[in-house]
Amino acid sequence: MGFFGFLLLGLLAGAIAKLILPGRQGGGWLITLLLGVIGALLGGWIGGVLFHTGLQDFFSLTTWLLAIGGSIIVLLIYGLLAGRRTHRG
């Protein structure tokens, strides 16, 4: 998968993760892109460690599930960190 394909995967995986998670997450499309790319990297790493598979092809179901799963994890962590920052006041 090329660089722009990976960016598109990250953006879409981040957007899908935001739709799956309940509540209101801050950030616009740039934050979604960054969290999605980080999540896709995390999902690929987790897939390699646990299942001996990684991010392969853009149209692979495994790639999408790993990227979305990683994005959900990253979005949860981001929500916890951003929530702490706003509650300190």
Side-chain angles (χ1 to χ4, degrees), residues 5 7 16-17 22 26 31 37 41 46 59 68 71 86:
L7 287 179
I16 292 170
I31 297 296
V37 169
L41 288 171
I46 290 172
F59 295 104
I68 293 169
S71 295
T86 57

Side-chain angles (χ1 to χ4, degrees), residues 5-62:
F6 191 76
L7 287 179
L8 181 61
L9 173 71
L11 178 63
L12 293 174
I16 292 170
K18 276 191 170 186
L19 289 174
I20 291 173
L21 287 176
R24 184 179 151 107
Q25 296 89 18
W29 69 270
L30 184 61
I31 297 296
T32 301
L33 175 66
L34 292 175
L35 294 176
V37 169
I38 293 168
L41 288 171
L42 177 66
W45 179 78
I46 290 172
V49 170
L50 296 180
F51 309 116
H52 304 292
T53 186
L55 303 178
Q56 300 162 355
D57 192 26
F58 184 80
F59 295 104
S60 169
L61 180 63
T62 304

